[in-house]
Amino acid sequence: MRTLLSIFAISIFISSCVQQGVDKEAQRIVDQSIKAHGGALYQEALISFDFRERHYSIFKSPSKYEYIREFTDSTGFVRDVLNNDGFQRTVNDTPVDLPEDRIRAFSNSVNSVAYFAFLPYGLNDAAVIKTYLGETELEGNSYHIVKVTFRQEGGGEDYDDEFLYWFHKEKYTMDYMAYSYHTDGGGVRFRKAIKQHQVNGLLLLDFENYKPEDKNTSVDKMEGLYKEGKLELLSEIRMENIKVSF
């Protein structure tokens, strides 16, 4: 079993071999994981759930998407809709004019929840670059590690974020992830799946969310820090009242 250090030592070589085309092993693993989590059902599914006192309805197909967030605050009933046409907020069914920075912030917030809820399905988006980094062992199980980066074209404002995914070697479930981000001051996170929701053929996950002491820590070091007990449990990512319709 390779250590994480050796995996990343050879990742430069692997990357140079696949940069002119598709990393076939990374693609195979992601395809298997998507299949294990629901496969083609994702393209027809409307997933609704509650998360942190907000209700979400998420739909995403290869050609269209619509993400809806609803909640009540001091202004009334708020409904945010993000789809192919852009972003729109209504309060008590009345459209609200927002400055560009607020539109961008609300869009990013809604998109982030939708992105994580639909994983690993979104890993086959056109802007995704996948690289296989080899195998490792984590908490008694063997995993494939796949690194994900994004092309600037089609990768959105956060195209320079980096992700690592740990896929169970036999089940192909996505049991861990780590990622770096640059919004809101930036940072890095490590997530561990703690509960599986089997709903109408889809496998959806709850996570523990960890952070390192230094927010500038390389995402490559997160597995080692987790194994050493040097990550702080920041929060839990739990989906409640999940419904899946087609």
Side-chain angles (χ1 to χ4, degrees):
M1 190 65 64
R2 299 187 183 95
T3 65
L4 188 61
L5 180 61
S6 64
I7 290 170
F8 283 99
I10 67 172
S11 67
I12 297 175
F13 170 78
I14 295 174
S15 179
S16 66
C17 291
V18 301
Q19 62 183 348
Q20 299 301 323
V22 175
D23 185 326
K24 293 182 179 179
E25 182 64 2
Q27 187 63 59
R28 181 191 71 81
I29 292 165
V30 167
D31 288 344
Q32 286 291 103
S33 184
I34 291 174
K35 181 179 179 181
H37 283 254
L41 292 178
Y42 277 104
Q43 299 182 24
E44 304 174 7
L46 174 64
I47 303 174
S48 64
F49 57 92
D50 296 331
F51 174 61
R52 293 179 178 171
E53 300 183 347
R54 284 159 168 72
H55 183 72
Y56 291 84
S57 298
I58 309 297
F59 173 79
K60 178 181 173 68
S61 75
S63 61
K64 62 188 297 185
Y65 67 93
E66 184 166 76
Y67 311 150
I68 300 173
R69 175 175 64 183
E70 299 172 320
F71 59 95
T72 300
D73 64 9
S74 60
T75 65
F77 178 71
V78 180
R79 190 172 194 261
D80 294 331
V81 178
L82 178 65
N83 57 29
N84 297 75
D85 296 325
F87 177 87
Q88 178 65 66
R89 166 167 287 196
T90 59
V91 176
N92 298 326
D93 297 324
T94 301
V96 178
D97 289 328
L98 297 168
E100 286 299 321
D101 62 331
R102 291 290 82 199
I103 291 176
R104 184 163 50 251
F106 293 148
S107 296
N108 287 342
S109 176
V110 173
N111 185 70
S112 177
V113 172
Y115 178 81
F116 285 110
F118 258 70
L119 285 172
Y121 173 64
L123 299 184
N124 272 341
D125 288 350
V128 171
I129 303 170
K130 296 180 281 286
T131 305
Y132 181 59
L133 299 183
E135 298 177 18
T136 189
E137 186 169 305
L138 192 51
E139 296 189 315
N141 293 301
S142 297
Y143 289 94
H144 295 293
I145 305 178
V146 174
K147 183 173 185 176
V148 165
T149 55
F150 303 90
R151 296 178 178 86
Q152 184 171 357
E153 182 178 357
E157 292 186 6
D158 302 327
Y159 71 90
D160 52 350
D161 291 351
E162 294 184 359
F163 286 76
L164 296 181
Y165 296 95
W166 284 258
F167 299 103
H168 194 283
K169 191 175 178 181
E170 297 177 356
K171 300 177 183 178
Y172 289 95
T173 50
M174 188 191 74
D175 293 349
Y176 304 86
M177 75 173 77
Y179 62 95
S180 63
Y181 63 96
H182 298 87
T183 56
D184 300 323
V188 62
R189 296 288 185 266
F190 182 90
R191 291 189 180 185
K192 172 188 176 179
I194 56 174
K195 184 176 181 179
Q196 296 181 344
H197 300 274
Q198 292 275 5
V199 186
N200 275 358
L202 293 187
L203 176 62
L204 306 172
L205 302 172
D206 291 340
F207 291 92
E208 289 179 338
N209 188 34
Y210 293 86
K211 70 173 184 177
E213 182 177 351
D214 181 2
K215 72 174 186 178
N216 296 315
T217 299
S218 169
V219 70
D220 299 347
K221 296 181 179 179
M222 295 298 281
E223 179 185 343
L225 292 173
Y226 177 75
K227 287 178 174 178
E228 295 169 9
K230 294 182 178 179
L231 296 179
E232 175 188 347
L233 179 59
L234 181 63
S235 61
E236 291 187 349
I237 313 297
R238 292 187 178 272
M239 303 167 68
E240 300 178 321
N241 302 318
I242 303 171
K243 295 181 180 179
V244 176
S245 57
F246 299 97

